Amino acid sequence: MSNSPQEKTPTPAIRAYLGGSFDPVHNGHLEVAMSVYQHLLPITKQLQYTLHVSLLPNARSPFKTQSTDPNHRLAMLKLATENTPIQINELELWQAPPVYTIDSVRTLRQQYPNDSLIFIMGMDSAHSLDKWRDGLCLTDYVNLWVFNRQSSTDVSDGISNKLSDSIISSKNNTATTEDVNFLKSQLPLSLQPHITDSPIELLTPTIQQLTDSSNSSSSSSNPDLKNANQGRIYIDPRPITAVSSTQIREQLQKLDDQTNKMPVAERQIASIAAINDIISNTESNPLAKWLNPAVYQYIIAHQLYSAAQFR
């Protein structure tokens, strides 16, 4: 007698999501996502789990009045993630705004009731979760990986300051007990008991749940959304340099305003030179540090973030 497909247990998966408008996507987003991927990959290989780290673009942030056409943002995301293991999840992108994170994590938990789900964010966002719609309830559905975002960097100074070749510091990635305790204190009080000292703790509950489910078939027929998979928060003490898409848009508008004052022929030459700057990581172009060359070329080709848009 052949086994019924319903009896087969799917391969356990770890799914991590970095949400945002990605307007435009920049190297800071990719550095954070890749850091999580590289940290989790050896663990998932050892456990024989599958690993999915995805960018989760939103339709429009509830905190913003406008954003670039989703088709453009998706196209730039595809260019930025090409030849990387980072995936794109379009769950929120085509919904009518505003779309709230709590609704998305509920949907993800329903889609993947037996997987370990991780939502990635900066401490600046985690600090204000009590101001999000049901933000304090996120841990009912997912684990949180919180990065230590430093104060924002001026994009125009990003090269000259020589901050770091990498967004995430690999040389000075240690933190004192006082540093860690301070970071923990930044979370809303009700979330502080959920803090764990190791990202592995975001995965361990999955192992325990799988062991339990093998002894009880009823657990898979009606999974409890508030099971042992959720509720842990890991604060990554490594500092990351915070640069925002807003700053990059402002810099793009400045460059656009400058080139618009040039004759047409000179303007075309300037655009080509700017693309070459980014491809060769020329220090004189402040955007070279933050934008993928293909993304920058797309922005120029489609005249996105031009100063004229905001007049």
Side-chain angles (χ1 to χ4, degrees):
M1 184 175 64
S2 61
N3 291 331
S4 170
Q6 285 80 7
E7 294 176 3
K8 294 181 180 179
T9 303
T11 303
I14 296 166
R15 302 176 186 274
Y17 302 90
L18 175 62
S21 61
F22 304 108
D23 194 12
V25 59
H26 55 70
N27 293 342
H29 298 130
L30 271 296
E31 290 280 355
V32 169
M34 281 301 301
S35 175
V36 172
Y37 181 89
Q38 291 166 351
H39 203 119
L40 294 178
L41 186 60
I43 302 172
T44 54
K45 284 184 175 179
Q46 183 179 2
L47 297 173
Q48 297 185 329
Y49 288 4
T50 58
L51 175 61
H52 306 273
V53 177
S54 304
L55 302 181
L56 185 69
N58 56 32
R60 189 186 75 216
S61 167
F63 302 106
K64 297 179 181 178
T65 57
Q66 64 178 16
S67 61
T68 303
D69 187 307
N71 289 290
H72 284 314
R73 290 189 286 125
L74 180 60
M76 289 187 285
L77 282 167
K78 289 179 177 178
L79 291 171
T81 55
E82 190 174 5
N83 300 320
T84 78
I86 305 304
Q87 303 171 18
I88 303 167
N89 187 301
E90 300 178 30
L91 171 66
E92 296 185 351
L93 192 59
W94 308 110
Q95 297 183 50
V99 178
Y100 295 96
T101 301
I102 188 64
D103 297 323
S104 297
V105 298
R106 284 186 183 123
T107 298
L108 291 168
R109 175 49 64 197
Q110 289 167 352
Q111 289 178 351
Y112 309 110
N114 299 314
D115 292 345
S116 180
L117 305 185
I118 301 170
F119 202 80
I120 308 164
M121 64 177 62
M123 179 55 80
D124 52 340
S125 295
H127 176 70
S128 61
L129 279 176
D130 54 349
K131 297 179 177 62
W132 292 24
R133 174 171 291 189
D134 294 334
L136 299 180
C137 297
L138 292 183
T139 50
D140 292 344
Y141 303 91
V142 295
N143 298 294
L144 302 182
W145 188 315
V146 180
F147 276 94
N148 173 22
R149 278 172 62 103
Q150 296 178 328
S151 59
S152 293
T153 300
D154 185 346
V155 174
S156 63
D157 293 336
I159 297 298
S160 60
N161 281 349
K162 298 288 188 182
L163 285 168
S164 172
D165 289 336
S166 173
I167 306 297
I168 298 175
S169 171
S170 58
K171 294 181 180 179
N172 301 313
N173 59 359
T174 57
T176 65
T177 302
E178 290 78 10
D179 291 335
V180 174
N181 287 338
F182 175 76
L183 289 173
K184 291 178 178 178
S185 71
Q186 299 304 295
L187 280 182
L189 282 174
S190 64
L191 294 180
Q192 291 181 20
H194 299 282
I195 294 173
T196 180
D197 293 328
S198 169
I200 296 177
E201 290 298 316
L202 306 184
L203 318 180
T204 304
T206 304
I207 303 171
Q208 184 61 48
Q209 189 198 20
L210 290 174
T211 302
D212 293 343
S213 63
S214 65
N215 298 325
S216 174
S217 59
S218 61
S219 63
S220 61
S221 61
N222 184 23
D224 179 8
L225 293 183
K226 294 188 179 182
N227 60 25
N229 267 344
Q230 297 85 50
R232 288 167 173 77
I233 301 172
Y234 171 62
I235 300 178
D236 196 323
R238 297 173 298 167
I240 64 172
T241 302
V243 59
S244 70
S245 294
T246 300
Q247 291 173 308
I248 290 177
R249 289 197 303 272
E250 290 172 352
Q251 189 67 22
L252 286 166
Q253 290 162 35
K254 287 179 184 177
L255 292 176
D256 179 74
D257 198 38
Q258 292 169 4
T259 56
N260 279 339
K261 297 175 182 177
M262 302 177 181
V264 175
E266 290 184 23
R267 190 185 313 164
Q268 292 174 341
I269 294 172
S271 296
I272 294 171
I275 294 172
N276 290 334
D277 282 348
I278 290 186
I279 291 174
S280 59
N281 199 27
T282 302
E283 294 191 5
S284 60
N285 190 323
L287 292 169
K289 184 182 180 68
W290 303 110
L291 285 179
N292 179 296
V295 171
Y296 189 64
Q297 191 163 4
Y298 185 95
I299 289 171
I300 292 176
H302 292 84
Q303 299 181 332
L304 301 181
Y305 313 116
S306 65
Q309 285 181 292
F310 300 90
R311 286 175 184 151

